[in-house]
Amino acid sequence: MAVKYLQAVNQKLAFARAVLKMLEAQSEPVNASERLRCQALEGAVLFHAMCGYRHYLRELAENYGVRDPEPIATENDLQAALSAIGKMPNEASELSLMRSEPNSWVSRMRIAYDDCWRLPAEVSATEPVQGEDIAPGLIQVAHIEEPAPAVNAEQLKRWLEAFQAMVERHRETSAEY
Protein backbone atom coordinates (compact mmCIF):
# COMPACT_ATOMS: atom_id res chain seq x y z
CA MET A 1 0.00 0.00 0.00
CA ALA A 2 1.23 3.50 -0.87
CA VAL A 3 1.71 4.92 2.60
CA LYS A 4 3.25 8.28 1.68
CA TYR A 5 0.49 9.11 -0.82
CA LEU A 6 -2.18 7.65 1.46
CA GLN A 7 -0.98 9.98 4.21
CA ALA A 8 -0.91 12.96 1.83
CA VAL A 9 -4.48 12.24 0.69
CA ASN A 10 -5.68 11.95 4.27
CA GLN A 11 -3.87 15.14 5.26
CA LYS A 12 -5.27 17.19 2.36
CA LEU A 13 -8.78 15.92 3.00
CA ALA A 14 -8.41 16.86 6.68
CA PHE A 15 -7.18 20.34 5.70
CA ALA A 16 -10.11 20.76 3.30
CA ARG A 17 -12.62 19.71 5.99
CA ALA A 18 -11.03 22.06 8.55
CA VAL A 19 -11.24 25.04 6.18
CA LEU A 20 -14.78 24.05 5.20
CA LYS A 21 -15.78 24.23 8.88
CA MET A 22 -14.39 27.77 9.01
CA LEU A 23 -16.33 28.64 5.85
CA GLU A 24 -19.57 27.18 7.21
CA ALA A 25 -19.11 29.20 10.41
CA GLN A 26 -19.09 32.46 8.42
CA SER A 27 -22.30 34.44 8.35
CA GLU A 28 -23.73 35.56 5.01
CA PRO A 29 -21.25 38.15 3.69
CA VAL A 30 -22.63 41.69 3.71
CA ASN A 31 -19.57 43.69 2.73
CA ALA A 32 -16.54 43.37 0.48
CA SER A 33 -14.25 42.22 3.29
CA GLU A 34 -16.57 39.39 4.29
CA ARG A 35 -17.07 38.34 0.64
CA LEU A 36 -13.30 38.30 0.20
CA ARG A 37 -12.88 36.11 3.28
CA CYS A 38 -15.54 33.65 2.04
CA GLN A 39 -13.99 33.49 -1.44
CA ALA A 40 -10.57 32.88 0.10
CA LEU A 41 -11.95 30.05 2.24
CA GLU A 42 -13.79 28.52 -0.73
CA GLY A 43 -10.58 28.64 -2.73
CA ALA A 44 -8.64 27.05 0.11
CA VAL A 45 -11.10 24.16 0.39
CA LEU A 46 -10.92 23.64 -3.36
CA PHE A 47 -7.11 23.82 -3.35
CA HIS A 48 -6.74 21.20 -0.61
CA ALA A 49 -9.35 18.94 -2.22
CA MET A 50 -7.53 19.08 -5.57
CA CYS A 51 -4.17 18.45 -3.91
CA GLY A 52 -5.70 15.42 -2.20
CA TYR A 53 -7.18 14.24 -5.48
CA ARG A 54 -3.85 14.45 -7.29
CA HIS A 55 -2.18 12.57 -4.45
CA TYR A 56 -4.93 9.99 -4.71
CA LEU A 57 -4.15 9.45 -8.39
CA ARG A 58 -0.53 8.87 -7.36
CA GLU A 59 -1.60 6.57 -4.52
CA LEU A 60 -3.47 4.39 -7.00
CA ALA A 61 -0.51 4.37 -9.38
CA GLU A 62 1.90 3.35 -6.65
CA ASN A 63 -0.48 0.67 -5.36
CA TYR A 64 -0.50 -0.92 -8.82
CA GLY A 65 3.27 -0.81 -9.26
CA VAL A 66 4.00 2.39 -11.17
CA ARG A 67 7.64 3.16 -10.38
CA ASP A 68 7.45 6.97 -10.47
CA PRO A 69 3.93 8.24 -9.71
CA GLU A 70 5.09 11.82 -8.97
CA PRO A 71 4.40 13.25 -12.48
CA ILE A 72 0.80 11.95 -12.46
CA ALA A 73 -1.62 14.88 -12.28
CA THR A 74 -4.64 13.75 -14.31
CA GLU A 75 -6.73 10.68 -14.96
CA ASN A 76 -5.11 10.40 -18.41
CA ASP A 77 -1.65 10.44 -16.80
CA LEU A 78 -2.77 7.66 -14.46
CA GLN A 79 -4.19 5.56 -17.27
CA ALA A 80 -1.06 6.01 -19.39
CA ALA A 81 1.22 5.03 -16.50
CA LEU A 82 -0.87 1.97 -15.67
CA SER A 83 -1.20 0.98 -19.31
CA ALA A 84 2.60 1.12 -19.65
CA ILE A 85 2.86 -1.66 -17.07
CA GLY A 86 -0.07 -3.62 -18.50
CA LYS A 87 -2.64 -2.78 -15.85
CA MET A 88 -6.03 -1.10 -15.96
CA PRO A 89 -7.71 -1.34 -12.57
CA ASN A 90 -11.36 -0.52 -12.01
CA GLU A 91 -10.46 2.49 -9.85
CA ALA A 92 -8.65 4.19 -12.72
CA SER A 93 -11.48 3.40 -15.12
CA GLU A 94 -14.02 4.82 -12.66
CA LEU A 95 -12.04 8.05 -12.30
CA SER A 96 -11.68 8.43 -16.07
CA LEU A 97 -15.38 7.81 -16.54
CA MET A 98 -16.27 10.39 -13.89
CA ARG A 99 -13.90 12.89 -15.50
CA SER A 100 -15.64 12.41 -18.85
CA GLU A 101 -19.07 13.00 -17.28
CA PRO A 102 -19.57 16.80 -17.28
CA ASN A 103 -21.79 16.79 -14.18
CA SER A 104 -19.78 14.40 -12.01
CA TRP A 105 -18.17 15.76 -8.87
CA VAL A 106 -14.72 15.05 -10.35
CA SER A 107 -15.41 17.11 -13.48
CA ARG A 108 -17.09 19.93 -11.57
CA MET A 109 -14.28 20.10 -9.01
CA ARG A 110 -11.59 20.15 -11.72
CA ILE A 111 -13.44 22.85 -13.68
CA ALA A 112 -13.80 24.98 -10.56
CA TYR A 113 -10.11 24.53 -9.78
CA ASP A 114 -9.09 25.40 -13.35
CA ASP A 115 -11.26 28.52 -13.12
CA CYS A 116 -9.09 29.71 -10.23
CA TRP A 117 -6.25 30.10 -12.74
CA ARG A 118 -8.23 32.28 -15.15
CA LEU A 119 -7.61 35.99 -15.06
CA PRO A 120 -10.59 38.19 -14.24
CA ALA A 121 -12.14 39.87 -17.26
CA GLU A 122 -11.64 43.57 -17.83
CA VAL A 123 -15.09 45.14 -17.93
CA SER A 124 -14.34 48.66 -19.03
CA ALA A 125 -11.53 51.14 -18.80
CA THR A 126 -12.06 54.33 -16.87
CA GLU A 127 -12.33 57.56 -18.76
CA PRO A 128 -8.93 59.01 -19.59
CA VAL A 129 -8.07 61.66 -17.08
CA GLN A 130 -7.24 65.04 -18.54
CA GLY A 131 -5.20 67.59 -16.72
CA GLU A 132 -1.83 68.26 -15.31
CA ASP A 133 -2.42 66.65 -11.91
CA ILE A 134 -1.62 63.15 -13.27
CA ALA A 135 2.03 62.24 -12.96
CA PRO A 136 3.76 61.02 -16.10
CA GLY A 137 4.21 57.26 -16.24
CA LEU A 138 1.07 56.36 -14.27
CA ILE A 139 -1.10 53.67 -15.75
CA GLN A 140 -4.79 54.21 -16.33
CA VAL A 141 -6.98 52.22 -13.93
CA ALA A 142 -9.38 49.62 -15.30
CA HIS A 143 -12.40 48.12 -13.57
CA ILE A 144 -11.94 44.37 -13.16
CA GLU A 145 -15.05 42.24 -12.81
CA GLU A 146 -14.57 39.15 -10.72
CA PRO A 147 -16.48 36.17 -12.09
CA ALA A 148 -19.41 34.83 -10.14
CA PRO A 149 -18.18 32.30 -7.58
CA ALA A 150 -17.95 28.87 -9.16
CA VAL A 151 -18.44 27.08 -5.87
CA ASN A 152 -20.11 27.49 -2.52
CA ALA A 153 -19.81 25.78 0.84
CA GLU A 154 -22.62 23.30 0.19
CA GLN A 155 -21.18 22.23 -3.14
CA LEU A 156 -17.68 21.89 -1.68
CA LYS A 157 -19.08 19.80 1.15
CA ARG A 158 -20.80 17.42 -1.31
CA TRP A 159 -17.60 17.08 -3.35
CA LEU A 160 -15.53 16.32 -0.25
CA GLU A 161 -18.05 13.75 0.95
CA ALA A 162 -18.10 12.06 -2.47
CA PHE A 163 -14.31 12.08 -2.65
CA GLN A 164 -13.95 10.66 0.86
CA ALA A 165 -16.54 7.95 0.20
CA MET A 166 -14.81 6.94 -3.04
CA VAL A 167 -11.37 6.79 -1.40
CA GLU A 168 -12.70 4.68 1.47
CA ARG A 169 -14.50 2.33 -0.94
CA HIS A 170 -11.42 1.93 -3.15
CA ARG A 171 -9.10 1.38 -0.20
CA GLU A 172 -11.44 -1.16 1.34
CA THR A 173 -11.65 -3.07 -1.94
CA SER A 174 -7.90 -3.05 -2.53
CA ALA A 175 -7.18 -4.08 1.09
CA GLU A 176 -9.07 -7.32 0.44
CA TYR A 177 -6.50 -8.43 -2.14
Side-chain angles (χ1 to χ4, degrees):
M1 179 158 281
V3 176
K4 79 176 177 182
Y5 290 110
L6 181 143
Q7 290 172 340
V9 171
N10 291 347
Q11 179 192 55
K12 294 303 180 182
L13 282 170
F15 288 171
R17 285 190 302 271
V19 176
L20 181 61
K21 283 184 183 182
M22 288 187 274
L23 177 61
E24 291 173 330
Q26 297 290 309
S27 59
E28 190 65 32
V30 293
N31 60 42
S33 177
E34 291 173 359
R35 278 192 303 277
L36 180 67
R37 183 175 22 261
C38 285
Q39 287 175 337
L41 291 171
E42 289 164 350
V45 173
L46 187 56
F47 169 79
H48 287 298
M50 278 304 301
C51 284
Y53 184 77
R54 283 189 175 181
H55 286 308
Y56 185 63
L57 295 174
R58 294 168 184 154
E59 176 185 335
L60 287 174
E62 191 173 61
N63 282 344
Y64 284 97
V66 172
R67 286 203 173 128
D68 182 19
E70 197 61 34
I72 295 173
T74 67
E75 299 81 4
N76 289 341
D77 295 343
L78 175 62
Q79 288 211 323
L82 290 168
S83 183
I85 60 171
K87 296 183 181 178
M88 192 44 60
N90 289 335
E91 298 95 322
S93 298
E94 178 184 353
L95 291 171
S96 291
L97 179 63
M98 281 194 290
R99 179 63 175 122
S100 69
E101 290 286 326
N103 290 319
S104 73
W105 67 267
V106 171
S107 288
R108 306 285 293 187
M109 186 172 75
R110 279 194 167 277
I111 289 167
Y113 181 75
D114 290 345
D115 284 347
C116 292
W117 294 97
R118 295 192 204 320
L119 291 175
E122 185 177 307
V123 175
S124 63
T126 59
E127 290 295 316
V129 180
Q130 303 296 323
E132 296 181 22
D133 56 343
I134 300 299
L138 289 182
I139 299 173
Q140 183 177 341
V141 176
H143 176 70
I144 302 294
E145 182 70 29
E146 284 293 326
V151 295
N152 59 43
E154 188 57 39
Q155 192 172 37
L156 289 164
K157 183 177 182 177
R158 285 193 308 269
W159 292 347
L160 283 176
E161 288 171 349
F163 182 20
Q164 183 73 49
M166 180 193 70
V167 167
E168 289 172 2
R169 180 172 43 82
H170 287 177
R171 286 177 180 168
E172 186 177 290
T173 304
S174 67
E176 292 174 5
Y177 296 103

